């Protein structure tokens, strides 16, 4: 494979509760090797039907606010047609329509071009699956 395109899979332990997992450092570590100072694009993709990628501020309560907002929009109750798994699990399958399972971020001189308070995060409301994969791909 050409050095213009490099990909790697992260294995992420998201736990047994709803979570927002900051992947920014993992992305930066990947880019140090894959981008090697070049410009390009970083694409993240979650190959799961119940998780997504968000660019948000973390550490100041926004991650908890996001989970609270998702809980309001997608309550964990018995209204969902998709009924296997934990009670309310059907909502987890609706999540990727609101928090997409992918993101593409510009890379300049090998560094993520994020805003001051932006972090790259895995959003996982599925308590039934505590292990996730995130594919990082750099196109330079």
């Amino acid at each position: 494979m050409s050095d213009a395109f490099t990909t790697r899979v992260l294995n992420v332990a998201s736990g047994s509760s709803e979570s927002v997992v900051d992947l920014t450092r993992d992305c930066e570590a990947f880019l140090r090797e894959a981008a090697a100072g070049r410009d390009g694009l970083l694409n993240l993709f979650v190959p799961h039907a119940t998780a997504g990628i968000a660019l948000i501020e973390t550490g100041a309560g926004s991650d908890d606010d996001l989970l609270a907002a998702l809980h309001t929009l997608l309550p964990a109750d018995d209204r969902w047609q998709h009924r296997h798994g934990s009670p309310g699990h059907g909502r987890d399958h609706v999540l990727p329509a609101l928090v997409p399972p992918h993101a593409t971020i510009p890379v300049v001189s090998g560094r993520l071009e994020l805003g001051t308070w932006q972090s790259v995060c895995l959003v996982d409301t599925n308590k039934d699956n505590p292990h996730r994969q995130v594919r990082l791909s750099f196109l330079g």
Side-chain angles (χ1 to χ4, degrees):
M1 184 177 298
S2 164
D3 67 349
F5 181 81
T6 305
T7 189
R8 177 174 302 147
V9 174
L10 294 177
N11 291 302
V12 180
S14 56
S16 58
S17 60
E18 297 176 359
S19 61
V20 175
V21 180
D22 191 336
L23 303 175
T24 308
R25 286 193 174 115
D26 296 303
C27 293
E28 291 168 342
F30 170 69
L31 288 172
R32 277 192 293 280
E33 179 183 322
R38 296 177 294 152
D39 295 350
L41 296 171
L42 174 66
N43 181 264
L44 294 91
F45 178 71
V46 181
H48 300 281
T50 59
I53 299 291
L55 300 180
I56 64 168
E57 178 181 9
T58 58
S62 297
D63 33 0
D64 291 332
D65 290 342
L66 173 59
L67 292 175
L70 290 171
H71 206 273
T72 298
L73 291 170
L74 304 171
D77 58 23
D78 64 356
R79 73 183 69 198
W80 308 101
Q81 298 298 312
H82 188 104
R83 293 186 186 266
H84 81 291
S86 297
H89 174 65
R91 77 181 192 118
D92 301 325
H93 288 274
V94 177
L95 173 77
L98 301 175
V99 181
H102 58 86
T104 301
I105 305 165
V107 175
V108 177
S109 299
R111 297 180 57 98
L112 289 171
E113 281 293 295
L114 294 173
T116 301
W117 303 112
Q118 286 180 314
S119 295
V120 182
C121 298
L122 170 69
V123 179
D124 187 0
T125 59
N126 182 357
K127 298 182 272 188
D128 295 338
N129 187 354
H131 303 286
R132 298 301 183 154
Q133 292 187 330
V134 179
R135 178 169 294 278
L136 305 177
S137 300
F138 175 72
L139 178 61

